[in-house]
Amino acid sequence: MRLHTLTLQAFGPFRTRQSIDFDTLSQGGLFLLHGATGAGKSTVFDAVCYALYGNVPGERHQTALRSHHADPATLTQVELEFTMAGRRLKIVRTPNRNDPDATKTAPRRRRPQSAWRSGTVTPAPARPSGSRSPPPTRKSPARSTTCWA
């Protein structure tokens, strides 16, 4: 499996929409994820796990995934685009939460959502040894579906 992009919104310490482009990061080979305590390093791994499995490692509840710093109207969401077994996939997940317009006496719950989109990956042409090949290109999506958890 190869990660391409991860986009977080109102997830963990990330109040606004933030994106990580793993293709750009990995152009030079290995990369290091570093920062101060509380900067969100572990949240990046939590977001990848949440996108792939619908849950994070450990015993945290889904309602604890939302950023305490985010505007109440901002939707908590994780998007992950990756390639696995020759297919380029995009998963979008939204954890369970209260709607911002609900009243204190009658809160409404928003059910968790998952959506995925699949497309085939066109292999890059053969390159001479020692040169890096560009990232694979994506054909139009083969199918799209939304699943309710």
Side-chain angles (χ1 to χ4, degrees):
M1 177 177 12
R2 179 186 172 118
L3 303 180
H4 297 289
T5 58
L6 175 68
T7 304
L8 313 169
Q9 178 175 286
F11 188 88
F14 300 103
R15 172 175 65 86
T16 59
R17 191 171 183 86
Q18 303 291 322
S19 292
I20 301 170
D21 184 350
F22 291 105
D23 290 332
T24 301
L25 286 174
S26 62
Q27 282 180 350
L30 294 176
F31 62 91
L32 174 66
L33 186 63
H34 68 93
T37 301
K41 300 176 298 293
S42 296
T43 303
V44 171
F45 296 112
D46 286 346
V48 170
C49 290
Y50 181 70
L52 292 173
Y53 304 110
N55 211 343
V56 293
E59 296 182 19
R60 286 168 286 178
H61 192 267
Q62 274 197 349
T63 55
L65 302 177
R66 179 164 172 79
S67 174
H68 301 291
H69 310 291
D71 183 83
T74 303
L75 186 65
T76 303
Q77 193 171 58
V78 175
E79 298 176 20
L80 179 66
E81 193 166 345
F82 62 99
T83 300
M84 183 173 71
R87 298 193 77 155
R88 188 149 178 159
L89 303 165
K90 180 177 185 178
I91 299 174
V92 180
R93 289 200 193 259
T94 304
N96 196 3
R97 63 167 263 194
N98 285 328
D99 282 339
D101 58 353
T103 65
K104 289 184 180 181
T105 57
R108 289 188 303 188
R109 303 289 294 175
R110 180 172 290 164
R111 295 177 64 191
Q113 291 184 354
S114 301
W116 61 275
R117 180 171 294 212
S118 172
T120 56
V121 175
T122 305
R127 295 261 192 197
S129 64
S131 67
R132 299 203 38 93
S133 60
T137 57
R138 183 167 107 180
K139 293 181 182 177
S140 62
R143 59 186 163 181
S144 177
T145 188
T146 300
C147 309
W148 290 94

